[in-house]
Amino acid sequence: MKLLWSGILLLLNLLFPSAQAIRTITCLDHARHERGTSFTVRCIQGCAAKDYGVWGNGTYTHDSAICRAAIHDGRITDEGGVVTVYKQPGQESYVGVERNSIQSKAYGYWRSSISFTADIKETPISCATTAQDQRFDFTRSFELICPAGCLQEDTRKVWGSVVYTHDSSICRAAIHDGRITDEGGEVTVYRHAGQPSYNGTQRNSMGSFSHGYYKSSFSFTPAIPGGNDPEISCGTTAQDTRFSYQTSFEITCPSGCDNSSATVWGNGTYSHDSSICKAAIHDGIITKKGGTFIFYRQPGQPSYQGSTRNGITTTKYGYYWRSSFSFTPEIPEAPILCKTTAQERRFFAKPAFQILCPPDCVNSTTKVHGNVLYTDDSSVCRAAIHDGRITDEGGLVNVFRQTGLSSYPGVTRNSVTSLPNGRWSSSFSFTEKIPDWFGNDTVGNGEKNKNQGSLAALVIIPIFLILIGCFIWRRQVARRGSRRVSKRSENLDNTSSQEEEGLENGAFHHKVKSYHWF
């Protein structure tokens, strides 16, 4: 009977693959270790009353509790349910709001986010909005409409008077500066360089705080009295928010920066927390005597190489960093290496891409998981050798993103040994269409899964019928055995009757006599 039920369950799983694709998570689980650009999970009930952190509103930090964020966003109730989570870029700030009986928390910049829609809506302007908000990047000035009631939001601090630190509440600063009342309204905000100090005053029914030097500021007029940019030093980095509102800047560096203790990460393209002047000497754009030049803001890179040039040694950083700068408008894309994986940010959200693999990847230590379909953290070039697309001489390959699988086999092919792996949320292959014979264990829903499930069902149905046949055959054998037992009992009954008849013919005395011989 167990064999029959196992066959039935196997058939159901293959006919309805989506039923096994959705993983149940707890109230504590977050998206920090999830792979792929999106994933679908089932939340348990009772998460609303838990105290696990949620930061944001509509768009949440990726370490927020997924189920509580889904309740907060109105996607599910406290009874639980199924939600699809989408990975999003990091936001400059996250607003804390009470919704659906859950109070989320406010936070500043965080490197990665999640949402429950593929396209995220812009976070509404609130009393907590500051000039640090990422939506205001690359703009020297911007307009916004403040909501009503910000005067009472005394937890949203304001530092300065006329000129405010750029982490001050814009709307409360606008009330303090007399631009709007507590009824809210439209204001124009202008970015300025950081000021040596900010004076706190009492104006328009609210008080601001004093502060020392802060790296960037804003006001509600294009020009500010006595506003001067602080001098560029050897330690100035591209993080200085005076460099946040356009794509290129001209600066003049002092002499002697080659002896500075400031750190530089990169080679030609530098992480934006590197010393600009020291990087300029390393790049050869200026000498140790200083000079004037232009530097350009660039996107974050997957890694930064260290090198020694022009008397400056830079540091290697092997991980993604969110922003960079260079001394040319266009930077060469980071080279493809044997260790390059499909998880790199340059391939993010691309359904297909083409790369040129270098030679000598067979002996690389970067792992490969799978066969035909590979986990997206596998070495692309070693997987291409494993799949027979290129040799160890390298070459051009086309890579296609695929859905995740519930398991990946490990196989040795073409001098590359891949490793087995369990469930993984995203895969890649070197053909756009997965072979029909590959089987049906993809993670997630879609037409591909349905087609594979139908093919697998054609294979499993005969097996299922054989199992039923075996079950029926066993029942028939059992019935025949019962008939034999009944026949034997009947024969025994006949034998007993004959013995009873023998008693009347003297056989009994013979038996007694024989008994006395013993």
Side-chain angles (χ1 to χ4, degrees), residues 229 232 242-243 245-253 276 291-296 327:
D229 285 353
I232 299 296
R242 77 183 98 175
F243 305 134
Y245 53 82
Q246 61 193 59
T247 57
S248 64
F249 304 86
E250 183 179 85
I251 67 171
T252 300
C253 286
I276 299 173
T292 301
F293 58 90
I294 296 174
F295 78 95
Y296 302 84
F327 303 101

Side-chain angles (χ1 to χ4, degrees), residues 121-361:
K121 297 179 181 178
E122 193 171 76
T123 306
I125 299 298
S126 71
C127 300
T129 300
T130 73
Q132 287 179 318
D133 195 305
Q134 192 176 35
R135 77 186 92 179
F136 307 135
D137 278 359
F138 304 107
T139 55
R140 180 78 189 204
S141 64
F142 52 92
E143 295 180 353
L144 55 82
I145 299 176
C146 289
C150 290
L151 186 62
Q152 306 304 319
E153 288 277 349
D154 56 359
T155 58
R156 311 303 181 188
K157 291 187 176 181
V158 173
W159 290 270
S161 183
V162 180
V163 184
Y164 304 90
T165 62
H166 86 317
D167 62 341
S168 297
S169 160
I170 294 174
C171 295
R172 297 196 75 237
I175 296 173
H176 183 268
D177 201 53
R179 303 292 165 167
I180 59 173
T181 66
D182 194 38
E183 298 299 316
E186 185 174 354
V187 293
T188 302
V189 182
Y190 299 87
R191 289 183 178 276
H192 299 290
Q195 302 299 302
S197 62
Y198 300 81
N199 296 320
T201 60
Q202 184 75 30
R203 297 174 62 184
N204 299 313
S205 302
M206 66 166 291
S208 65
F209 295 85
S210 296
H211 200 281
Y213 170 76
Y214 200 78
K215 58 189 177 183
S216 186
S217 58
F218 69 88
S219 73
F220 302 99
T221 56
I224 57 175
N228 296 310
D229 285 353
E231 292 184 359
I232 299 296
S233 70
C234 296
T236 300
T237 73
Q239 283 183 315
D240 192 313
T241 49
R242 77 183 98 175
F243 305 134
S244 65
Y245 53 82
Q246 61 193 59
T247 57
S248 64
F249 304 86
E250 183 179 85
I251 67 171
T252 300
C253 286
S255 63
C257 288
D258 57 321
N259 295 318
S260 168
S261 60
T263 307
V264 177
W265 290 269
N267 180 27
T269 306
Y270 306 88
S271 64
H272 83 319
D273 58 343
S274 299
S275 160
I276 299 173
C277 295
K278 200 169 178 180
I281 298 172
H282 179 268
D283 200 62
I285 199 77
I286 61 172
T287 67
K288 63 181 179 180
K289 293 181 180 180
T292 301
F293 58 90
I294 296 174
F295 78 95
Y296 302 84
R297 287 170 59 95
Q298 303 290 0
Q301 301 298 301
S303 62
Y304 298 81
Q305 300 299 314
S307 68
T308 298
R309 294 169 60 189
N310 303 311
I312 303 291
T313 299
T314 62
T315 304
K316 175 183 178 180
Y317 188 74
Y319 302 95
Y320 169 77
W321 192 254
R322 64 184 180 273
S323 186
S324 314
F325 67 89
S326 69
F327 303 101
T328 56
E330 296 181 359
I331 59 173
E333 193 172 67
I336 299 296
L337 305 173
C338 295
K339 67 178 182 179
T340 298
T341 74
Q343 286 182 326
E344 283 200 5
R345 193 176 182 87
R346 68 180 114 174
F347 308 133
F348 186 74
K350 291 183 178 180
F353 53 92
Q354 190 177 72
I355 65 172
L356 180 62
C357 289
D360 304 322
C361 287

Side-chain angles (χ1 to χ4, degrees), residues 411-477:
V411 179
T412 298
R413 293 171 63 193
N414 303 313
S415 303
V416 174
T417 299
S418 69
L419 303 174
N421 201 80
R423 180 181 294 271
W424 200 257
S425 59
S426 185
S427 314
F428 68 86
S429 67
F430 300 101
T431 56
E432 184 172 7
K433 185 179 179 182
I434 303 172
D436 291 338
W437 51 262
F438 193 79
N440 180 58
D441 59 348
T442 51
V443 178
N445 302 320
E447 195 62 36
K448 187 187 298 289
N449 287 4
K450 292 177 183 177
N451 293 338
Q452 291 176 349
S454 300
L455 290 170
L458 293 176
V459 176
I460 199 65
I461 286 173
I463 298 174
F464 179 64
L465 293 174
I466 290 171
L467 292 174
I468 294 176
C470 291
F471 176 73
I472 294 171
W473 177 77
R474 291 184 63 183
R475 290 290 298 271
Q476 292 293 332
V477 169

